[in-house]
Amino acid sequence: MAAIITGLITALVGVGPAHAASSPLLDAQELRSDVSALTSDYIDRYQDRLTHKQERALTRTAREARREMTTLVRSIKKAERRATSAAWKAAYRQHQRAAAMVDGRFDEVRAALESELTFVERLSAFSDYASSMRAFQSLGVALARRAAN
């Protein structure tokens, strides 16, 4: 299950070379899509190993992650429209809230699901998580730069 959570967080945060998009908005939209796709994949892949309680918790976490990412996308859209430092600061703050939610949820889900995954699955999930976190951090850096101008 840790792999599921790691993957979920990874998706939330974003993964892979596709995240070399040209703007914070495109990056955030791509991250949001990755979250949904990766979460669905993990739920489908490991559903048979989860208790109903674990499955509900994972589904709830996925829903919260999508909601946070949608709010982040909206904040960035607003910042791009307004093109002010204050709007970019608000987008950066939303990014920070999303990052905090991801970190907190990852720990909760990992603790609940880790015993359900094989060692290789846990490694794979951690790899997904680490890649996503790097992409998420890159988005934060881009937002911070815009907020500073």
Side-chain angles (χ1 to χ4, degrees), residues 85 88 92 137-149:
S85 178
W88 285 110
Y92 179 71
Q137 289 171 350
S138 293
L139 176 58
V141 169
L143 293 173
R145 271 193 227 126
R146 291 186 184 220
N149 293 329

Side-chain angles (χ1 to χ4, degrees), residues 1-12 15 32-50 55 58-59 62 66 113 117 121 124-125 128:
M1 240 357 162
I4 294 173
I5 298 309
T6 304
L8 173 62
I9 303 304
T10 300
L12 221 170
V15 219
R32 181 179 59 185
S33 294
D34 288 348
V35 170
S36 293
L38 191 57
T39 301
S40 295
D41 179 52
Y42 278 136
I43 291 172
D44 291 346
R45 189 181 315 163
Y46 302 114
Q47 185 175 22
D48 61 324
R49 299 186 210 173
L50 306 176
E55 187 176 347
L58 182 59
T59 301
R66 282 189 299 270
L113 305 178
L117 301 176
E121 289 168 336
S124 176
D128 290 343

Side-chain angles (χ1 to χ4, degrees), residues 8 16 21 68 109:
L8 173 62
E68 283 293 324
V109 176

